[in-house]
């Protein structure tokens, strides 16, 4: 079977997301193609994290449809074949990895165990193979020598690099980053961005990144989406969005952060 590389790997169709009376996403439509590197920028509270959390199946939504890697889920209006079962959600989750602002490593596990745990338990990979792959990934992020350390013994930048290795250990097709450098001291930002920059060269990996690092976004993205109040207000190539934004809201936002 040949894969259609032009078909979107992520497809939000008319998605609505509410928290009680607060509507965060309303009739939200958004596609990402396989291998595309897309950055979401926009003011705090505009719904960027919610989009990533829905993709990671951490948040349910109230209406519309999400398709990921050809698997659709949550069609509560009864238009589709199912409302996602736990099993189906688990299956979707194995295609997506997420790196959070706050690292979220398991504090009681060594660096190596943090990386091998999910492949062992969720994918059922044999320990020797999982450890071999974990060491390769730790080497890639420059931390093989820290494999027996605990998270509390590492700097924030090192912890975030472990978190990236951990996400990659599941061999995700889609990697989500939610402000991966926002919690870091300024001198530690560069080492994390340089790991993400390396991943951005991986042709097959689809990346969706929320960041306030505008220079970095301009450098690594195929497409930048300016997000405001739950909508994509403007999107385009990085040079268009940063060099010649069309919308007044985009210009206003960029002048506040650049
Ligand atoms: P961003 O990542 O762009 O800063 P978020 O997606 O985190 O925005 O939040 C969008 C809106 O949803 C905000 O108004 C936020 O307060 C609200 N929100 C997010 N998570 C919850 C939650 N669990 N319960 C209630 N409101 C939430
Ligand atoms: Mg956020």
């Amino acid at each position: 079977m040949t894969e259609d590389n032009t078909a979107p790997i992520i497809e939000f169709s008319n998605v609505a997301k509410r928290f009680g009376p607060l509507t965060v996403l309303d009739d939200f439509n958004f596609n990402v193609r396989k291998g595309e590197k897309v950055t979401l920028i926009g003011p705090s509270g505009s719904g960027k994290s919610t989009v990533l959390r829905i993709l990671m199946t951490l948040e349910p939504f109230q209406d519309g449809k999400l398709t990921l890697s050809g698997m659709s889920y949550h069609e509560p209006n009864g238009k589709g074949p199912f409302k996602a079962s736990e099993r189906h959600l688990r299956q979707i989750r194995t295609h997506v990895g997420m790196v959070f602002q706050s690292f979220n490593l398991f504090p009681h596990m060594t660096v190596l165990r943090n990386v091998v745990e999910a492949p062992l338990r969720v994918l059922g990979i044999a320990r020797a193979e999982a450890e071999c792959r974990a060491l390769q990934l730790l080497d890639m992020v420059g931390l093989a020598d820290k494999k027996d350390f605990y998270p509390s013994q590492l700097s924030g930048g090192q912890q975030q690099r472990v978190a990236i290795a951990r996400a990659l250990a599941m061999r995700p097709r889609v990697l989500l980053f939610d402000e991966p450098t926002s919690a870091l001291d300024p001198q530690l930002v560069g080492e994390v961005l340089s790991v993400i920059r390396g991943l951005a060269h991986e042709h097959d990996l689809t990346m969706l990144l929320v960041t306030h690092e505008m220079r970095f976004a301009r450098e690594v993205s195929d497409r930048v989406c300016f997000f405001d109040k739950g909508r994509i207000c403007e999107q385009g190539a990085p040079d268009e969005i940063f060099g010649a934004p069309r919308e007044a809201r985009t210009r206003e936002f960029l002048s506040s952060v650049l």
Side-chain angles (χ1 to χ4, degrees):
M1 206 174 77
T2 55
E3 245 181 305
D4 177 3
N5 283 347
T6 58
I9 188 165
I10 296 170
E11 191 170 10
F12 284 81
S13 306
N14 313 108
V15 167
K17 170 66 189 172
R18 291 180 282 275
F19 291 106
L22 175 73
T23 296
V24 178
L25 303 176
D26 181 24
D27 201 14
F28 181 64
N29 293 289
F30 176 53
N31 289 351
V32 178
R33 285 192 316 278
K34 184 176 174 211
E36 210 182 359
K37 318 296 185 261
V38 178
T39 304
L40 298 181
I41 60 170
S44 174
S46 57
K48 305 179 300 297
S49 293
T50 301
V51 169
L52 299 194
R53 291 175 56 79
I54 288 174
L55 273 169
M56 196 61 204
T57 74
L58 297 170
E59 288 287 349
F61 50 94
Q62 281 75 37
D63 203 355
K65 175 170 140 183
L66 177 62
T67 306
L68 195 103
S69 243
M71 298 180 289
S72 297
Y73 80 100
H74 211 299
E75 297 177 318
N77 291 339
K79 283 179 272 183
F82 50 71
K83 187 170 154 140
S85 66
E86 192 46 44
R87 187 173 147 271
H88 187 72
L89 289 179
R90 259 204 313 276
Q91 199 184 2
I92 287 173
R93 237 171 263 147
T94 63
H95 289 254
V96 193
M98 185 153 170
V99 175
F100 300 86
Q101 183 177 340
S102 52
F103 328 137
N104 294 8
L105 296 177
F106 304 118
H108 58 291
M109 291 183 190
T110 63
V111 162
L112 183 66
R113 249 193 93 195
N114 262 281
V115 181
V116 298
E117 199 63 11
L120 273 183
R121 298 200 187 282
V122 181
L123 301 182
I125 292 174
R127 178 172 298 274
E129 188 189 337
E131 287 190 353
C132 177
R133 164 94 176 134
L135 286 170
Q136 282 171 2
L137 289 167
L138 287 172
D139 192 42
M140 191 193 83
V141 302
L143 290 171
D145 59 330
K146 298 282 191 285
K147 69 181 174 62
D148 298 320
F149 283 49
Y150 285 86
S152 62
Q153 298 172 296
L154 302 180
S155 72
Q158 291 171 330
Q159 289 185 56
Q160 192 62 301
R161 286 187 280 149
V162 174
I164 293 171
R166 184 178 62 174
L168 288 168
M170 293 294 284
R171 299 184 185 274
R173 299 181 186 192
V174 176
L175 197 49
L176 311 173
F177 292 91
D178 195 358
E179 300 193 30
T181 59
S182 294
L184 298 176
D185 292 337
Q187 77 274 16
L188 303 177
V189 168
E191 64 190 62
V192 172
L193 293 184
S194 99
V195 168
I196 301 174
R197 188 181 290 116
L199 294 174
H201 293 129
E202 297 212 3
H203 185 71
D204 283 341
L205 184 66
T206 307
M207 276 174 37
L208 188 52
L209 169 73
V210 174
T211 186
H212 295 298
E213 297 284 339
M214 298 299 154
R215 268 185 30 209
F216 183 71
R218 187 169 188 161
E219 179 196 336
V220 300
S221 314
D222 298 315
R223 174 160 54 113
V224 175
C225 302
F226 172 63
F227 210 78
D228 191 29
K229 301 194 179 82
R231 312 201 84 95
I232 293 172
C233 174
E234 176 167 4
Q235 58 181 314
D239 285 346
E240 289 168 18
I241 300 296
F242 293 111
R246 294 181 305 272
E247 299 290 329
R249 276 296 293 126
T250 316
R251 287 196 291 272
E252 197 182 316
F253 173 75
L254 289 174
S255 67
S256 75
V257 295
L258 285 175

